[in-house]
Amino acid sequence: MNRRQILKAGAAMTVLGWSSKLHAVGESGAEYKLDIKAGQAELLKAGGPKTPVWTYDGMVPGPLLRGKRGQRMRIAATNNLQQPTSVHWHGLRIVNAMDGVAGLTQEPIEPGQVFNYDFVPPDAGTYWYHSHNRGWEQVARGLYGPLIVDEDEPVDVDRDLVISADDWRLTEDGKLHEASFGNIGERAHGGRLGNVLTLNGKPYEYLKVMAGERVRLRLINTANARIMSFKVAGVAPWVVALDGQSIAPIKLGDSAVRLAPAQRADLVFDVKAAPGAELAITEVSGDEALVAGYLQVEEGGEVRERDGDEPPVLPAHNVPAPDLNKARIVELDMAGGAMGFVETAIYKGKTLDFRTLAREHGQVWTMNGTAGTALEPLFTAARGETIIVRMKNNTRWPHGMHVHGHHFIETARKPKTSFDFSIGAAVESKAAPYRDTVLMDAGEEVDIAFVADNPGSWLLHCHMMEHMAGGMVTWFEVRS
Ligand code: C2O
Ligand code: CU
C-alpha cells in the first residue's frame, strides 16, 4: 500500500489528542451549546491558587469546537455574565450576520440572553473564537477557545494537537491584575502584556505523543497583545497552514514560528525521539527561552510507514485569487500611539485634539485621521471586486492587522523584512499564503489584496486588543 491507501485504511486510527465535547457531525452538522460564565482556573501553577476568570463552559480556553468543511455549525451561546458579550469566529469566511461583532453585525448578547450562531465554514483549518465586545477585558479574562474545521478527507497524520497560547497578567496571589484593565498608557504602547504564559490554560502543558508518529500541531496565539515565537525541541517541522489556510509546505529548520495575536500556524512533524523523551515547547521571543510545555514521547503503538522526508499535503485552500491588474487601491494611514505625532483626529464625527481624545475617550490611535470606528466605511466594494489595502504603519509600534470575513495575500512590503509570513527567518514559499492577520513592523508599509466577495459590513483592525480599543479599527462594506 502507498501512503494514500494507508491513509484511507487508517483513517479510523487517527487519535485526537484534545478531546472535544461530545457532539455529532452528521447530516445536520455540528451542534454546540456554549455557556458563557464566570469560573476558575489554575494558571499560576498546577494545584496553585485558583484565578477567577470568565469562561466558555467553565474552562479556559473554551471547549474545542469542531466542524467539517461545508457543513453547518450551530452554536447556542448563553450569556451568564453580568456584562454584554458576543462571540466572533475568527478567520471563518462566513455570513456577515454570524460574524459576532457587537455593534456592527449584531447587538451584544445581554446578560441572560442567548444568541444562536448558525453558519457553514467554507474552509478547513485551524480557527478560534473569542469575545468581540470589550475584547481588551473579556479576552484577557479568558473568553476564547479553539475551533477546528476538518478537511473532507482525514489528513495523513496520526495525532492532531491544539495549543492555545496566552499570556496572563496575574498578581502574586494568582488573581487577574484588574487595576490595569483599560490603562491608557498601555493602549498607547505595546498593549497589555502578561507575566504568566499558559498553553491550553496550563502553566505547563504536557501533551502525549507516540514514538514514530506523525503529528499535526496547531498553534494559536490568543494573547491580547503579545507577539510570540515558538519552537519544539527535537523535531523537524513543516509549516503546512497559516491562519487556517493550507500553504505550500515550508521547512522550518531551526527557526521559530512567530505569531502575532490571533495568528495560527499548523506544523507537521514526525516524532523520531525514543520513548521517554520530553520535547520542550519553548517561547523564544524574549532574551531567554521560556519552557511552556512538553511533548511526552511514549512507547508507540502501530507506526505507519512514511515516505522519508516527504511533507504532508493538505487539500488546496479555496480562497479566490485577487485580480491584481484590476485591483482598486485603498490607502490606510495608521498613526498615533506613544512617540507618534497626532494633533487632532475625528472621533464619532467630531474633530478633537489629542489630549481630549486620550483623556476623555481613551483614543490614542488613528486610521486615516479617524480614531475608532468611523461613521463611513473605509471603502465600499462591489461584490467580487479586488481590493488592495495599502497599510502604512506610521507609528513606532508593530501591529497585527486583521480583516474580517476574508483572507488576503500580502503583495508588497516596504522595507522588506523578515516579518514575511510571520516566521522568524527568511523562508522561501512557492505561493503567498492567504492569511486573515498580518504582522507589520513599525514604519512598514504592507499591501494586502483580496477579493471582496462576502457581502456585509466587516471590520479591519489591529488585533492587539488595546490598540483596537484605543482607536485602531475601521470597517468596510461589500455590496450584495
Ligand atoms: Cu479575532 Cu475582530 O477579531
Ligand atoms: Cu496594534
Side-chain angles (χ1 to χ4, degrees):
M1 281 202 289
N2 64 26
R3 268 230 339 248
R4 286 281 118 206
Q5 289 163 329
I6 293 169
L7 165 65
K8 291 237 163 80
M13 291 170 23
T14 302
V15 187
L16 299 177
W18 221 75
S19 67
S20 48
K21 283 172 77 186
L22 201 60
H23 72 289
V25 184
E27 292 287 280
S28 58
E31 271 187 68
Y32 290 98
K33 285 195 165 75
L34 271 189
D35 184 6
I36 311 171
K37 61 181 179 188
Q40 295 190 317
E42 286 172 10
L43 302 171
L44 203 51
K45 56 176 193 265
K50 294 202 191 305
T51 305
V53 290
W54 291 358
T55 76
Y56 295 111
D57 282 358
M59 47 179 137
V60 286
L64 172 61
L65 305 184
R66 198 151 198 152
K68 209 166 173 188
R69 195 188 74 82
Q71 287 187 14
R72 195 167 171 192
M73 292 185 80
R74 274 175 289 184
I75 302 122
T78 305
N79 182 6
N80 287 311
L81 298 170
Q82 274 151 34
Q83 201 179 81
T85 190
S86 70
V87 191
H88 169 55
W89 315 96
H90 183 111
L92 293 182
R93 300 185 300 134
I94 54 178
V95 289
N96 191 251
M98 293 295 136
D99 198 40
V101 177
L104 185 70
T105 67
Q106 68 168 85
E107 292 299 316
I109 315 170
E110 295 296 330
Q113 286 188 351
V114 185
F115 192 97
N116 291 302
Y117 292 98
D118 185 342
F119 51 81
V120 177
D123 304 305
T126 304
Y127 299 90
W128 65 301
Y129 58 100
H130 62 79
S131 157
H132 218 298
N133 192 49
R134 293 170 66 91
W136 50 275
E137 177 186 5
Q138 296 195 356
V139 175
R141 286 188 186 274
L143 290 183
Y144 63 82
L147 189 153
I148 291 176
V149 181
D150 284 312
E151 290 78 10
D152 301 354
E153 298 288 333
V155 171
D156 181 17
V157 296
D158 305 305
R159 190 172 293 268
D160 191 331
L161 300 173
V162 190
I163 289 181
S164 303
D166 193 8
D167 65 334
W168 303 79
R169 185 178 296 181
L170 301 182
T171 60
E172 262 163 45
D173 57 350
K175 300 277 181 306
L176 282 180
H177 196 279
E178 294 184 329
S180 50
F181 277 132
N183 180 289
I184 188 84
E186 286 180 349
R187 279 191 179 183
H189 288 76
R192 182 186 179 88
L193 301 178
N195 54 356
V196 172
L197 174 65
T198 62
L199 303 184
N200 298 335
K202 299 187 196 100
Y204 287 99
E205 171 68 314
Y206 293 90
L207 295 165
K208 195 172 82 174
V209 297
M210 304 263 193
E213 276 184 335
R214 177 160 281 192
V215 176
R216 178 178 188 172
L217 175 60
R218 308 166 186 260
L219 292 168
I220 311 172
N221 182 348
T222 65
N224 272 41
R226 188 182 291 275
I227 302 162
M228 294 195 265
S229 294
F230 289 98
K231 276 191 176 185
V232 183
V235 297
W238 296 89
V239 183
V240 297
L242 291 171
D243 293 355
Q245 307 292 355
S246 62
I247 60 170
I250 298 169
K251 212 169 200 164
L252 199 53
D254 273 339
S255 308
V257 183
R258 175 160 46 203
L259 297 175
Q263 288 186 321
R264 288 88 65 211
D266 287 34
L267 310 184
V268 171
F269 50 81
D270 295 330
V271 178
K272 294 189 172 151
E278 293 198 328
L279 309 175
I281 305 164
T282 50
E283 202 289 312
V284 299
S285 64
D287 295 338
E288 271 173 62
L290 261 185
V291 178
Y294 296 92
L295 299 180
Q296 289 181 311
V297 185
E298 301 195 350
E299 196 82 50
E302 217 167 305
V303 174
R304 284 192 270 173
E305 220 177 288
R306 305 285 176 196
D307 297 349
D309 262 348
E310 187 198 317
V313 180
L314 299 188
H317 65 77
N318 45 28
V319 186
D323 182 352
L324 298 178
N325 295 320
K326 292 204 186 120
R328 169 150 59 115
I329 297 176
V330 176
E331 306 231 337
L332 185 60
D333 182 10
M334 302 149 60
M339 297 171 285
F341 304 95
V342 170
E343 277 162 18
T344 62
I346 299 168
Y347 179 66
K348 295 191 171 161
K350 286 200 194 113
T351 303
L352 300 174
D353 66 88
F354 209 63
R355 270 181 154 233
T356 310
L357 282 167
R359 288 198 180 159
E360 287 174 28
H361 306 288
Q363 298 299 295
V364 290
W365 303 94
T366 64
M367 287 176 135
N368 289 356
T370 296
T373 321
L375 300 179
E376 295 297 321
L378 176 65
F379 60 88
T380 298
R383 188 173 184 175
E385 188 179 358
T386 291
I387 301 288
I388 292 177
V389 183
R390 178 158 294 161
M391 302 187 293
K392 299 181 178 179
N393 181 5
N394 292 316
T395 80
R396 303 288 186 90
W397 302 89
H399 300 287
M401 304 304 294
H402 171 46
V403 177
H404 279 229
H406 300 78
H407 273 67
F408 53 78
I409 51 172
E410 179 179 320
T411 52
R413 183 180 289 255
K414 288 186 235 169
K416 191 111 182 100
T417 71
S418 59
F419 264 20
D420 300 40
F421 319 129
S422 299
I423 292 171
V427 287
E428 294 281 321
S429 178
K430 287 172 205 106
Y434 281 84
R435 304 207 70 146
D436 59 48
T437 305
V438 64
L439 182 59
M440 46 192 316
D441 206 353
E444 276 190 322
E445 179 181 312
V446 173
D447 285 3
I448 56 168
F450 60 97
V451 180
D453 62 350
N454 200 352
S457 301
W458 303 100
L459 284 189
L460 193 175
H461 63 85
C462 177
H463 215 285
M464 291 154 174
M465 294 290 175
E466 292 69 30
H467 291 179
M468 174 167 46
M472 197 170 269
V473 50
T474 184
W475 62 290
F476 62 96
E477 224 170 39
V478 181
R479 279 195 221 104
S480 49

